């Protein structure tokens, strides 16, 4: 959703929007051939200005929300967990209606005022315009409140690029996941806040040739038993399958993390079950402390031993991902 993740502007309340539109408009004055002509030109300019501000603002709100139709995308799945999408769709529809209605009204009232001959008639038309526009905007005041709430929810989501090939790191706490993310990221990984856990999600990047890959550690999601999850957490975990091209499952055979191998194997099994179809590289970490004779990959994220081999295996898998290929490929001329 990187491209869909447009910045949603602050949403004004109905009264704030009306004040903004009418206050700006009232500052406009125009001169004309005579007094009445000047009044008419001023009225038209004010109708136009308030109409433009209102429709421009409402249209910007509607456009700034991500498309609701796209599923099978990590960020969109999370959006669906946080926001009542049917309600949001209805509100955006109502706001769109208000925008069109104000637009049509503005043209109507400009036409009406063109035909007016007297000042008091023009004044009546002006008042009627403001009254009618206010009424339309007040009709959607709850919708404006609702999209403002949805905006606050969406702002809590981390900025994760979903069109970049991504490796998701899993394993119990203290097995060495963040140490691994630090080691393989070219720049210091960013920590983004995340509505599904109190801990931040860690996002790093690295390059292989001309392609950039992403590495993500999701503390609180893939680091304990699935059975103990609430529904929202379960769905957030499942959303990860749209993000992950590859999972690296970090195991700590030294058990200095505080988790027995048996527990770690059982978490590995649930990750396998929940992410069937996604390649999982199993890595035993902390070989500086304990080295088993299993045929898994082995490394020490602390000393760096074996990390290059793990990195090669990660690159080999991610290079097969089709994500980001279309946008990133250089265009050939001719
Ligand atoms: P996470 O909770 O899985 O992200 O684990 P961390 O990366 O924070 O590591 C937990 C602790 O284990 C830290 O004190 C690390 O320094 C230590 N650690 C990580 N990798 C290794 C390793 O390969 N060998 C040793 N001896 N300690 C490690």
């Amino acid at each position: 959703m990187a491209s869909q993740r447009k910045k949603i502007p602050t949403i004004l309340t109905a009264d704030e929007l009306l004040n903004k539109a009418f206050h700006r408009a009232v500052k406009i004055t125009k001169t004309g051939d005579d007094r009445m002509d000047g009044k008419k030109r001023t009225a038209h300019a004010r109708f136009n200005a308030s109409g433009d501000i209102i429709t421009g603002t409402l249209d910007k709100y509607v456009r700034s929300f991500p498309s609701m139709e796209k599923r099978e995308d990590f960020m969109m799945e999370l959006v669906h967990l946080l926001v009542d999408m049917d309600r949001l769709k209805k509100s955006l529809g109502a706001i769109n209606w208000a925008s069109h209605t104000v637009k049509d009204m503005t043209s109507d009232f400009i036409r009406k005022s063109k035909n007016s001959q007297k000042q008091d008639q023009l004044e009546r038309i002006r008042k009627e315009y403001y009254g009618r526009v206010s009424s339309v905007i007040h009709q959607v005041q709850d919708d404006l409140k609702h999209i403002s709430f949805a905006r606050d929810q969406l702002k809590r989501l981390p900025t994760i690029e979903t069109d970049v090939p991504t490796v998701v790191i899993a394993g119990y706490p203290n097995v060495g996941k963040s140490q691994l993310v630090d080691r393989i990221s070219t720049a210091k990984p960013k920590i983004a806040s995340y509505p599904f856990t109190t801990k931040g999600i860690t996002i790093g990047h690295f390059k292989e040739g001309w392609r950039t890959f992403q590495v993500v550690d999701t503390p609180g999601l893939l680091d304990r038993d699935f059975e103990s999850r609430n529904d929202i957490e379960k769905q957030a975990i499942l959303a990860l399958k749209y993000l992950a091209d590859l999972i690296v499952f970090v195991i700590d055979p030294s058990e200095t993390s505080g988790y027995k191998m048996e527990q770690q194997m059982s978490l590995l099994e649930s990750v396998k079950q929940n992410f069937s179809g996604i390649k999982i590289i199993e890595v035993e970490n902390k070989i500086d402390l304990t080295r088993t004779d299993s045929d898994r990959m082995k490394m020490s994220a602390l000393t760096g031993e074996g990390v290059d081999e793990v990195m090669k295996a990660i690159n080999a898998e991610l290079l097969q991902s089709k994500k980001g290929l279309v946008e990133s490929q250089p265009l050939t001329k001719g």
Side-chain angles (χ1 to χ4, degrees):
M1 202 172 78
S3 52
Q4 288 198 44
R5 206 176 160 78
K6 291 160 275 186
K7 197 170 171 346
I8 303 174
T10 311
I11 312 291
L12 300 176
T13 64
D15 286 328
E16 284 167 349
L17 176 60
L18 290 167
N19 279 341
K20 179 178 154 187
F22 294 156
H23 275 124
R24 286 229 192 123
V26 91
K27 290 190 186 131
I28 302 170
T29 41
K30 296 273 178 202
T31 49
D33 299 338
D34 54 40
R35 214 174 122 80
M36 188 58 199
D37 188 44
K39 293 240 172 239
K40 272 191 190 181
R41 283 172 192 258
T42 301
H44 298 171
R46 288 180 181 177
F47 290 162
N48 260 331
S50 21
D52 281 354
I53 289 169
I54 289 172
T55 55
T57 307
L58 296 182
D59 290 349
K60 190 171 68 185
Y61 293 169
V62 174
R63 278 197 313 269
S64 71
F65 275 83
S67 149
M68 313 299 157
E69 311 306 338
K70 195 176 170 200
R71 295 296 295 258
E72 306 207 338
D73 172 287
F74 176 63
M75 298 303 278
M76 283 318 290
E77 288 296 318
L78 298 188
V79 167
H80 279 259
L81 286 180
L82 291 174
V83 175
D84 176 347
M85 288 311 231
D86 288 338
R87 174 84 171 77
L88 178 59
K89 249 187 199 171
K90 274 186 199 135
S91 289
L92 290 171
I95 290 166
N96 196 30
W97 163 84
S99 169
H100 282 106
T101 309
V102 169
K103 196 168 182 212
D104 292 348
M105 243 174 213
T106 306
S107 316
D108 277 358
F109 275 82
I110 288 179
R111 211 173 306 121
K112 269 192 195 172
S113 66
K114 272 189 181 151
N115 299 332
S116 70
Q117 304 299 329
K118 295 202 177 98
Q119 257 194 56
D120 59 344
Q121 193 185 0
L122 192 59
E123 183 58 18
R124 263 202 315 277
I125 293 171
R126 187 189 65 81
K127 279 194 178 145
E128 195 188 339
Y129 174 74
Y130 289 164
R132 297 268 298 275
V133 168
S134 300
S135 153
V136 170
I137 298 305
H138 280 125
Q139 277 186 60
V140 294
Q141 62 187 356
D142 285 346
D143 298 298
L144 287 167
K145 269 191 210 149
H146 186 73
I147 67 164
S148 179
F149 165 79
R151 171 189 185 262
D152 293 344
Q153 294 294 310
L154 296 183
K155 276 185 70 175
R156 297 168 62 209
L157 289 173
T159 324
I160 294 190
E161 290 160 272
T162 53
D163 51 2
V164 171
T166 300
V167 49
V168 169
I169 311 292
Y172 266 108
N174 296 318
V175 297
K177 296 187 300 301
S178 42
Q179 194 103 21
L180 176 64
V181 174
D182 273 351
R183 274 218 177 254
I184 67 182
S185 304
T186 3
K188 199 171 163 40
K190 281 199 212 114
I191 314 251
S193 65
Y194 195 51
F196 302 102
T197 126
T198 48
K199 294 178 211 150
I201 194 165
T202 310
I203 305 154
H205 290 92
F206 54 94
K207 275 189 181 284
E208 169 65 24
W210 55 271
R211 292 185 80 182
T212 299
F213 298 146
Q214 187 169 236
V215 52
V216 175
D217 181 20
T218 55
L221 288 191
L222 293 182
D223 62 358
R224 62 188 164 94
D225 276 340
F226 282 55
E227 289 68 41
S228 56
R229 305 302 182 152
N230 64 35
D231 282 351
I232 297 258
E233 279 176 333
K234 278 188 183 143
Q235 289 177 56
I237 290 170
L238 289 181
L240 281 172
K241 73 170 173 250
Y242 300 116
L243 184 68
D245 295 279
L246 169 69
I247 292 174
V248 168
F249 191 91
V250 182
I251 300 160
D252 169 18
S254 79
E255 300 183 351
T256 51
S257 55
Y259 297 95
K260 298 260 173 249
M261 275 303 268
E262 206 182 297
Q263 282 172 286
Q264 298 186 54
M265 290 307 104
S266 127
L267 179 60
L268 174 59
E269 272 319 302
S270 20
V271 171
K272 278 183 182 165
Q273 274 170 22
N274 284 289
F275 293 90
S276 64
I278 295 174
K279 166 97 180 171
I280 300 176
I281 298 180
E282 300 169 23
V283 182
E284 292 185 5
N285 188 34
K286 305 195 186 176
I287 50 168
D288 52 305
L289 299 179
T290 305
R291 192 187 287 264
T292 74
D293 56 7
S294 75
D295 51 10
R296 293 197 179 99
M297 298 206 78
K298 297 190 172 52
M299 67 171 188
S300 168
L302 189 69
T303 67
E305 191 188 345
V307 173
D308 280 353
E309 284 71 25
V310 172
M311 205 50 204
K312 273 188 201 134
I314 293 175
N315 279 331
E317 287 299 327
L318 291 186
L319 279 169
Q320 293 177 25
S321 167
K322 304 226 173 350
K323 278 189 200 163
L325 276 181
V326 178
E327 292 105 295
S328 318
Q329 256 173 3
L331 291 172
T332 44
K333 281 188 186 158

